[in-house]
Every structure is written in structure tokens, then in C-alpha cells.
Amino acid sequence: MTFVSLSRTRRSHPRAVILGTGSELPAQVVTNAALEKLVDTSDEWITTRTGIKERRILEEGKGNADMAYRASVRALKDAGLEAKDVEAIIMGTVTPDYPFPSSACVLEDMLGVRKAFSFDVNAACCGFLNALAIADSFIRTGRIRTALVVGSDALSRLLNWKDRGTCILFGDGAGAVVLGASHDGAHGILSTRLRTDGSYVKTLYVPAGGSLKPASLESVKRNEHTIAMNGKEVFKVAVRSMEEISREALDEAEVKVDEVSLVIPHQANLRIITALAGRLKVPMTKVMVNVDRYGNTSAASVPVALDEARREGRIRPGDIVLLNAFGAGFAWGAAVIRF
Ligand code: ACO
């Protein structure tokens, strides 16, 4: 009897492992050439400053959960699991279908998940990493054994299509990861690190539409329900912060940067990604990049890139992968995973 309970105690700290991934990008492609017709910009300017060539935009009449649903179905299939196996849905998003309830609850119903608890996490472009870290904690403590972790955003809904400083940067998409519990000790999420600095709230935010300034005819006229950003400041802090937190996550995992097989950074801007790779001293051959095709998909960016990397065969069993992200808040984070 004593032996059984000791053994249970030893086995009560599983590690979260990635069982499956999936993603969804809307069919509608908006090229830089198309944006040249909307604002005073050029393919050349957008490509040189951001590396973005095109982005996907969610069709009218669809909501965030429609994309999250497709990504989740693919992730569950990849994991060989069914909706009934899911014990929690944690979704990073800043563009839920409704102000409330959460899009995680909308998704839960679409998937037919029952007997789970589901909620959204608002950490902007870092939302997926926050959701992943929370799910990892629930699994490590033995509270749940299976979680669906989603990053899904339709930032096109928050864009001022007359502001060339922001409308060229973003796209819509969803990525999902199914986490399970493993006792093998060798694989899974080795570390997660999260950070915020609220003194930057107004450096990147949507001024109206919340409780402080509810949507009104005036706020809509002034476009205050769309993204307002100081791009230069975001750029500077993003590179520095993602480097720092990546190093912290690697230290915690006791992994050296040379041991990382692939870095999957938040896809905001190719210049941010190359600057980060340079500071981490990781060659670009070991860095996942798809910002050229999708732009910045906010919370979806890391899980979409992770799913693509797996499907392209860029992650093999035993590989160590470093994820990192940075976004409004400011909020940033990193995770180290052994596959
Ligand atoms: N097309 C043409 N010209 C433009 C455009 C455009 N789309 N946008 C701005 N410009 C002009 C500006 O008006 C300015 O003109 P001026 O010199 O006559 O005043 C000139 O280009 C230079 O503008 P800057 O803002 O200094 O350009 P910068 O090199 O900083 O690039 C950018 C702007 C791309 C926004 C960059 O600062 C950036 O990527 N920042 C990070 C922002 C970001 O990624 N935010 C996403 C959310 S947070 C995250 O995900 C990390």
C-alpha cells in the first residue's frame, strides 16, 4: 500500500508533450499590390521594411472560432484523439467572436467537447505562449491529462485600412496544439517563461471599444476601435525582450543555444526575426520564417509556424525547439520543447 502511494507520488509530475498540431489560414489572399490600391505604399517598401509579401484575410460573416475550429480538428486528427478526450481548451486571442463569452467556449461547442473547462487568454501576439504555459502547468500538476491549446486571431477586424503604418503588417489565422501528459521524462515542454511590462500599454493598443471608451459613433468616426501603434518603439523592445526571455527559457531547461534545432519566433517582421537570430547567434537556416506569406497573425503566428515546420519535416524526434513571442502589453514569452 505504501509502495503504491509512493509510486503515485513519483508519477504525479508528468510533463506536457505535443501530441498533434494543426493550422488554418483563410483562403482570401491580399498581396502587397492589392494594398497599393488602398494606401500610399508599395510592394518594395513593405518587402524591405517587413519581409511581408501577402497575408490572409478572414471572409466576412466568419468569426475567429471558425478558423480555430479548423485548426483544432486538424490538431486532434494529428494527435489521434477525439473531442471527447479534451479536458481543457485554452485559447490565446485578442479578437474573440464576441466581447463575451470566450471564443474558447464557442470553439468547445463547435467541436462538441463536453466535460471540459475552456477560456481565452489575452496576451496579444504572445497569447499562444501564455496559453501553452497555463496548459503545461495544469498538466504538470496532474489536474488534466489532455489540453487543446489554440492561438487564433483575426486582426483584420481591428485594422484601419487607411493607416499605412499598421494595415500592411497583419493577417488572420489560427494554430492549435494538442498536449498530453507523459511520464517518460525525456520529451515535452522543458520550460516556459512569460513576462509583461504594462508601462507600454499605449505603445500598441486599441483605444476604444472597451469599458473605458465604449464604441460610439464618434469613436468609430475617429477610428479609435482600430490598432494604434508606435512601430519603432515596438521594434526596439521586441528584439531585446525576445532575446532575453529566450535565454532565460534555455537556461531553465538547461539547454545551450547550439543544441536548439529550430527557433520558431513570432512572425511580426523579418527584420525583427533576423535581428533576434543575430543576437542569439542562431543561423537563419535554423529559424522558421513564414511571415512573407501570412504577415503578423498575432496569437496564431507561433502555432501556425510550428505546424508548418512539423509538416515540412523540419522537426524530428529528439529535436529541441525554441518558441518565442512578443506583443501588446507589452507581453512576451518563450518555451523550450524536446520532441
Ligand atoms: N508604406 C510606405 N511608407 C510608409 C509605410 C508604408 N506602409 N508606413 C510608414 N511609412 C513611412 C512613414 O510615414 C515614414 O515616412 P516619413 O519618413 O516621411 O515620416 C517612413 O515610412 C519611415 O517610417 P518608420 O515608421 O520610421 O519606418 P520603420 O523603418 O520603423 O518601419 C515598421 C515601420 C515596419 C512598422 C517597423 O517599425 C516595425 O515593424 N515595427 C514593429 C511593429 C510590429 O511588428 N507590430 C506588430 C505588433 S507587435 C509584434 O508583433 C512584435
Side-chain angles (χ1 to χ4, degrees):
M1 191 60 190
T2 311
F3 173 75
V4 170
S5 75
L6 272 177
S7 143
R8 276 204 187 123
T9 309
R10 237 188 343 259
R11 290 170 64 82
S12 68
H13 294 293
R15 189 161 261 165
V17 289
I18 293 187
L19 300 177
T21 59
S23 57
E24 162 70 7
L25 283 312
Q28 192 186 345
V29 177
V30 174
T31 60
N32 291 346
L35 291 179
E36 285 175 1
K37 298 191 179 89
L38 286 183
V39 285
D40 180 14
T41 190
S42 65
D43 174 45
E44 198 268 333
W45 192 96
I46 300 173
T47 308
T48 346
R49 302 285 176 129
T50 71
I52 300 167
K53 299 298 284 182
E54 57 187 43
R55 69 286 293 143
R56 305 295 185 91
I57 302 295
L58 182 62
E59 66 185 276
E60 266 179 51
K62 298 272 184 205
N64 185 335
D66 288 292
M67 295 188 295
Y69 170 75
R70 287 165 184 265
S72 300
V73 166
R74 289 178 187 131
L76 283 167
K77 187 169 179 229
D78 187 39
L81 294 180
E82 292 173 33
K84 68 172 171 48
D85 302 315
V86 174
E87 292 174 86
I89 301 175
I90 308 178
M91 178 157 162
T93 189
V94 285
T95 49
D97 296 58
Y98 311 106
F100 72 87
S102 69
S103 273
C105 282
V106 179
L107 175 62
E108 180 181 296
D109 187 49
M110 290 170 103
L111 288 169
V113 168
R114 303 286 178 252
K115 297 185 183 162
F117 60 92
S118 303
F119 57 93
D120 288 355
V121 176
N122 177 334
C125 299
C126 197
F128 173 77
L129 275 166
N130 282 53
L132 188 76
I134 295 167
D136 177 48
S137 301
F138 278 124
I139 287 175
R140 273 174 186 266
T141 54
R143 172 67 185 78
I144 57 171
R145 283 157 303 163
T146 314
L148 177 62
V149 182
V150 183
S152 185
D153 263 315
L155 282 198
S156 64
R157 307 307 202 238
L158 298 179
L159 291 177
N160 173 358
W161 293 98
K162 290 187 179 129
D163 175 14
R164 66 178 182 173
T166 51
C167 77
I168 54 127
L169 295 174
F170 300 97
D172 302 336
V177 162
V178 177
L179 291 184
S182 165
H183 290 274
D184 83 0
H187 303 101
I189 298 178
L190 306 182
S191 66
T192 60
R193 301 285 291 188
L194 302 173
R195 191 79 55 75
T196 47
D197 183 344
S199 66
Y200 288 101
V201 163
K202 291 189 177 173
T203 309
L204 173 56
Y205 76 132
V206 176
S211 57
L212 181 63
K213 197 184 267 193
S216 64
L217 282 177
E218 275 311 302
S219 72
V220 171
K221 227 182 275 170
R222 286 198 294 262
N223 267 309
E224 288 173 335
H225 59 292
T226 60
I227 293 173
M229 177 182 77
N230 174 345
K232 265 199 194 317
E233 190 65 10
V234 173
F235 194 113
K236 215 170 54 197
V237 187
V239 175
R240 196 174 62 223
S241 306
M242 278 197 285
E243 182 203 355
E244 273 171 20
I245 206 136
S246 295
R247 291 196 187 282
E248 285 174 21
L250 289 168
D251 282 350
E252 193 177 309
E254 297 179 354
V255 167
K256 293 196 183 63
V257 76
D258 305 350
E259 295 173 289
V260 173
S261 308
L262 188 66
V263 179
I264 303 184
H266 172 46
Q267 308 286 312
N269 180 317
L270 186 59
R271 283 161 59 219
I272 293 180
I273 296 173
T274 47
L276 174 66
R279 289 172 78 126
L280 286 172
K281 299 199 170 40
V282 174
M284 282 304 285
T285 48
K286 281 185 169 187
V287 180
M288 183 67 194
V289 175
N290 64 12
V291 69
D292 50 323
R293 283 173 290 136
Y294 307 133
N296 181 348
T297 57
S298 185
S301 115
V302 170
V304 166
L306 171 62
D307 182 49
E308 287 203 340
R310 283 186 75 235
R311 282 189 287 113
E312 287 168 10
R314 292 189 68 177
I315 303 175
R316 293 172 306 269
D319 277 359
I320 295 178
V321 174
L322 168 67
L323 313 179
N324 52 43
F326 181 92
F330 290 155
W332 63 102
V336 179
I337 305 170
R338 187 184 284 117
F339 280 81

